[in-house]
Amino acid sequence: MSDTPRSTLLKLGEGRPTIQVLEAGEGEPLLFLHGAGGIAAWQGALPILAGKYHVYAPLLPGFGQSNGLEYLEDQFDLFQHGFDVIEALGLERPYVVGESLGGWMAAEMAALRPKEIGRLALAAPVGLWRDEAPVVDLFGRMAHELAPYLFHDMNGPAAQQMLGLTQLFSNKDDRTQEQIETLIGMSRGFRTVAKFLFPIPESGLERRLWRIKAPTLIVWGEQDRFISPMYAEIFREKIAGAKVVTIPNAGHLVGLEAPEPYARAVLGWGSPG
Amino acid sequence: MKFNWFHLMPYRWLPDDFRERYHGVWVDLPNALYDPERGHVLYNEYLDMLEYADQQGFDAIGVNEHHQNGYGMMPSPNLMAAALARRTSKAMLLVLGNSIALYNPPTRVAEEFAMLDVISGGRLIAGFPVGTPMDVNFCYGQNPVTLRDKYREAHDLILKAWQEREPFAWNGKYTKLRYVNIWPQPIQKPHPPIWIPGTGSIETWDFCAELGYNYSYLSFSGYKRARKVLEGYWDRMAALGKEPNPYSCTFFQQICVSDTDEACEREWWPHVNYFFNKCLHLYPGMMGPPGYMTEASIRAGVVAQAGNTSLNMGGNKSWKELVDGGYIIAGSPATVRQQVEELARGLRCGHLGVALHIGSAPMDLTNRSTYLFANEVIPHVRSIWSEWEDHWWPKAMPPEKREQPGSHNTAVQAQAERPTEVRHE
């Protein structure tokens, strides 16, 4: 396992984003697409995945040191950007693992250029919508109110860590300069998320899912209150050969809350048999 | 100085336990609380109040746009302005305004504002707000990240639509129109004066300075707290080399006038309390979606305290605290006069938006306040800033040339109501 990833800056060219890529481990490539919270630390499932794969985790513009959101005007630009990153990293038909926002992006990419994605694992991806199970509004709530939708166990370390961060959004005027920068950094990341997902994170993925050719694993925390696990069944129905794994005692951020069983499922899907 | 009588049009019957039961007055407050028959009375009373302000000599009467909001029942301010255009003939019509990024295509605003300008004989002041996050993002679904870009494109399109005399194509990022050629065109040339409401961001000041628009600082926290913000505005104007013309700036203030200071507190406290504790019961989770504020504004807000926005203040305060803090100006005409002068000189604003209806105030109380302000306050402060020219005021048709609503019916009534004589050749 590797606890400190290497960080490199990938310049995609003039008039295109510059992307910070976190890398760790050796072996076959695994492209990790993060969720709306970015990658705050190399923790949870990531070090476990890096025990077996060469993990590449690019950060979207607005997260970490990545910039150039202004060059991605719409979702189509965003998906093509994903392929630009794959090409710049020199990856061929990688195993793509995406969580929530990243899962949506991975599914859209696999439907857009099906031959270029080798294998797919989607952890509680957004992108679908049913009126009877509305996805929680990520943008119209105070930060500390969101946490109970994201975790199964609010007393667990992952939930407590997030609650600590949400304190920064309070009205108190006692933040350190470092905390202010953390706060601004989080705002910048959420801005990227909002650009592509506001106000409802659905824009037709369902009618494109049939094009996905990559063997696809759907992973869902059984107690996900942010997006109902019922959506897993829709993905399974629409993607040929897709398999669903449900992780007990886990909420939406399954990679942080139940890293071992989640990573085991993802690793198992990567080397079947 | 000039005075516009500005209405928010609040719903007056929010329940007593409203704050406990609902997290805010806006966006997701169930509309089961709204009774349309009471609403019928309210719209008519509120329009009457604005018409009375016209009769009493206010320079302008003003309306604005909010959506899904318990304190602002004007999703379409243009409908209100249209009603007022036909029932008034003196006061200018301040529509502050249309959130132009919401209209698809934005030429709709160019058309409706032109209609209002033509109906009213050139009395329109055109307001172009970006709009609050509650209105534009959460009620109308605009993306907060691209909102300002879309706003700017809508602005450019409307201005061009008002001034071009030949059809043109508009290939924008947000709006694509093969033929732009709006009928009617506004009476005012090159276009009605444009006022931009804002809450203190430097980007808005620069926008106003660049294009010569009036900056209207909207705040419910009163003139004393506005001082720092408007000092920032004047510093910025100086830095940009603009003359410090007070008429480039409008401030809004809630004001109650009664015959004495004591009567004012007795008569107005329940209605002021209703406003600050019910109407301004706002849910913070919807006040700042990601991307709505620029990073520079977030940085400024983190230092100046983002929670203390100009909208979300004044709750749980006593009458004395609200008066002493300048949230409201309240009292006898003499008291109000002195504070209005302090406000005008302190903020250097040539235009004052006067909110003389507050919260749950009824008709009689409001009109008394309007009467006293018009007759016993305005004459004493009218001359402030008279050495400056107001470049932000409508160039309306002369009053004697403006049509009087109904006059054409009167002129032909006699012929209309008797049989036409059959002529025999």
Side-chain angles (χ1 to χ4, degrees):
Chain A
M1 280 197 217
S2 165
D3 289 327
T4 46
R6 301 183 294 285
S7 170
T8 49
L9 283 184
L10 198 60
K11 291 189 185 353
L12 296 176
E14 191 60 34
R16 279 165 252 158
T18 292
I19 294 301
Q20 183 186 7
V21 183
L22 303 176
E23 265 179 78
E26 285 169 16
E28 293 290 303
L30 183 153
L31 182 72
F32 178 86
L33 302 182
H34 63 77
I39 298 176
W42 198 256
Q43 60 184 10
L46 282 164
I48 310 178
L49 298 177
K52 193 168 169 200
Y53 282 94
H54 184 157
V55 175
Y56 297 84
L59 303 179
L60 286 171
F63 288 90
Q65 296 163 45
S66 298
N67 60 46
L69 180 64
E70 64 274 25
Y71 304 122
L72 309 179
E73 288 202 351
D74 53 25
Q75 295 181 350
F76 189 68
D77 284 352
L78 175 70
F79 309 145
Q80 296 289 28
H81 162 78
F83 287 105
D84 294 343
V85 170
I86 288 177
E87 194 177 325
L89 290 172
L91 308 181
E92 292 284 336
R93 292 177 43 80
Y95 182 13
V96 182
V97 178
E99 298 183 345
S100 192
L101 154 81
W104 162 69
M105 195 175 155
E108 291 277 17
M109 286 170 65
L112 186 66
R113 284 151 70 168
K115 292 175 186 166
E116 296 179 36
I117 304 294
R119 194 165 280 274
L120 207 51
L122 312 174
V126 296
L128 306 183
W129 184 269
R130 287 290 183 274
D131 287 342
E132 61 271 27
V135 177
V136 167
D137 182 6
L138 180 62
F139 308 108
R141 279 196 170 73
M142 290 184 276
H144 68 271
E145 294 174 328
L146 263 181
Y149 292 103
L150 301 176
F151 296 97
H152 165 57
D153 177 11
M154 284 308 291
N155 295 315
Q160 288 299 311
Q161 190 182 354
M162 179 174 167
L163 278 180
L165 275 178
T166 63
Q167 304 277 316
L168 294 179
F169 288 94
S170 77
N171 274 346
K172 296 204 194 84
D173 206 359
D174 55 0
R175 300 181 193 91
T176 64
Q177 194 56 41
E178 194 190 341
Q179 288 175 323
I180 289 177
E181 292 309 316
T182 304
L183 184 65
I184 303 266
M186 289 198 291
S187 308
R188 212 183 279 144
F190 285 145
R191 182 168 178 269
T192 299
V193 180
K195 184 164 186 178
F196 302 111
L197 294 184
F198 190 94
I200 286 181
E202 189 282 324
S203 47
L205 171 63
E206 188 168 346
R207 69 175 181 271
R208 296 185 281 272
L209 282 175
W210 66 272
R211 293 197 184 90
I212 295 178
K213 296 281 189 295
T216 301
L217 175 72
I218 312 292
V219 187
W220 227 286
E222 200 176 337
Q223 285 80 25
D224 191 334
R225 283 185 289 268
F226 187 77
I227 318 178
S228 164
M230 65 154 267
Y231 284 99
E233 287 310 313
I234 307 173
F235 279 97
R236 174 156 64 189
E237 256 173 52
K238 307 267 166 161
I239 304 173
K243 182 188 164 192
V244 173
V245 169
T246 304
I247 309 284
N249 300 316
H252 182 62
L253 299 185
V254 58
L256 292 179
E257 201 163 29
E260 282 89 13
Y262 161 68
R264 209 160 37 241
V266 171
L267 292 175
W269 190 250
S271 346
Chain B
M1 278 194 84
K2 293 196 180 76
F3 299 87
N4 71 75
W5 199 108
F6 200 81
H7 218 317
L8 292 171
M9 302 202 177
Y11 192 65
R12 276 169 42 193
W13 290 281
L14 297 173
D16 289 341
D17 60 352
F18 167 69
R19 282 179 74 92
E20 291 73 46
R21 286 182 59 193
Y22 304 99
H23 74 177
V25 74
W26 213 328
V27 183
D28 54 359
L29 178 67
N31 63 25
L33 293 178
Y34 181 80
D35 175 347
E37 291 192 5
R38 282 178 152 171
H40 170 70
V41 177
L42 275 191
Y43 276 136
N44 284 282
E45 277 190 3
Y46 286 168
L47 288 166
D48 280 355
M49 289 175 187
L50 286 155
E51 290 170 17
Y52 185 62
D54 168 63
Q55 293 158 23
Q56 287 300 312
F58 277 79
D59 301 291
I61 45 183
V63 291
N64 72 346
E65 172 177 344
H66 284 309
H67 300 274
Q68 301 175 196
N69 182 327
Y71 79 69
M73 292 189 298
M74 286 183 282
S76 171
N78 299 357
L79 293 181
M80 295 289 115
L84 293 168
R86 285 279 298 173
R87 292 272 303 169
T88 64
S89 55
K90 291 184 296 197
M92 302 301 135
L93 300 174
L94 170 61
V95 182
L96 199 64
N98 285 184
S99 303
I100 54 179
L102 299 181
Y103 294 81
N104 181 19
T107 41
R108 179 78 187 190
V109 175
E111 290 172 336
E112 290 193 3
F113 273 180
M115 287 176 72
L116 287 170
D117 202 51
V118 172
I119 294 169
S120 69
R123 289 188 284 144
L124 179 73
I125 300 168
F128 291 162
V130 170
T132 70
M134 288 69 85
D135 290 315
V136 296
N137 304 131
F138 291 105
C139 295
Y140 264 45
Q142 297 299 308
N143 192 304
V145 182
T146 49
L147 174 68
R148 282 164 207 277
D149 197 33
K150 189 176 181 193
Y151 169 89
R152 186 58 195 250
E153 184 184 305
H155 163 274
D156 294 349
L157 169 56
I158 292 166
L159 268 287
K160 188 168 181 184
W162 274 344
Q163 295 174 83
E164 280 289 321
R165 288 293 162 269
E166 296 290 332
F168 65 92
W170 183 265
N171 182 21
K173 195 197 289 185
Y174 304 95
T175 300
K176 291 185 188 291
L177 299 170
R178 193 74 237 191
Y179 304 101
V180 181
N181 178 35
I182 65 156
W183 289 63
Q185 284 285 316
I187 285 179
Q188 298 185 74
K189 300 296 176 207
H191 55 73
I194 293 171
W195 291 18
I196 309 292
T199 54
S201 80
I202 192 164
E203 293 91 348
T204 308
W205 297 341
D206 288 358
F207 179 63
C208 289
E210 177 197 340
L211 295 164
Y213 298 159
N214 171 286
Y215 177 69
S216 302
Y217 180 48
L218 295 184
S219 163
F220 293 131
S221 54
Y223 73 103
K224 291 184 180 171
R225 276 152 203 279
R227 184 129 187 188
K228 197 155 170 263
V229 171
L230 286 177
E231 274 170 8
Y233 169 77
W234 291 116
D235 287 349
R236 189 69 190 161
M237 292 304 117
L240 295 170
K242 299 287 166 188
E243 65 165 15
N245 187 328
Y247 288 106
S248 74
C249 178
T250 306
F251 183 69
F252 286 84
Q253 177 69 47
Q254 312 222 48
I255 298 179
C256 327
V257 201
S258 294
D259 292 274
T260 65
D261 289 357
E262 296 72 33
C264 194
E265 178 173 356
R266 190 176 62 244
E267 293 167 353
W268 279 92
W269 169 241
H271 310 298
V272 167
N273 186 31
Y274 181 96
F275 181 78
F276 282 99
N277 285 306
K278 285 187 180 164
C279 297
L280 288 193
H281 177 46
L282 303 177
Y283 172 56
M286 290 184 183
M287 296 178 77
Y292 179 82
M293 277 198 287
T294 61
E295 196 168 312
S297 295
I298 295 176
R299 274 184 196 280
V302 168
V303 178
Q305 261 334 297
N308 295 345
T309 73
S310 54
L311 283 174
N312 198 17
M313 296 183 85
N316 296 314
K317 287 193 165 43
S318 67
W319 174 263
K320 187 173 180 334
E321 286 168 323
L322 290 172
V323 170
D324 291 349
Y327 291 87
I328 54 172
I329 289 177
S332 68
T335 301
V336 170
R337 203 183 288 161
Q338 177 259 323
Q339 288 186 50
V340 167
E341 177 157 7
E342 188 184 318
L343 177 159
R345 296 199 190 280
L347 303 181
R348 201 181 170 81
C349 62
H351 289 287
L352 184 63
V354 193
L356 281 160
H357 177 271
I358 301 179
S360 55
M363 193 75 209
D364 54 344
L365 202 56
T366 306
N367 277 14
R368 178 67 183 155
S369 203
T370 299
Y371 179 84
L372 289 172
F373 194 90
N375 294 283
E376 296 189 32
V377 177
I378 289 180
H380 298 268
V381 287
R382 172 62 87 193
S383 64
I384 300 175
W385 310 124
S386 59
E387 67 276 26
W388 291 90
E389 194 183 339
D390 185 356
H391 306 296
W392 295 268
W393 198 244
K395 297 183 203 68
M397 294 166 64
E400 66 278 7
K401 289 187 74 178
R402 290 181 214 157
E403 291 291 319
Q404 295 303 312
S407 63
H408 294 279
N409 280 337
T410 311
V412 301
Q413 187 170 10
Q415 296 97 303
E417 295 177 4
R418 69 162 188 251
T420 307
E421 285 171 33
V422 180
R423 294 184 187 186
H424 300 283
E425 294 296 321

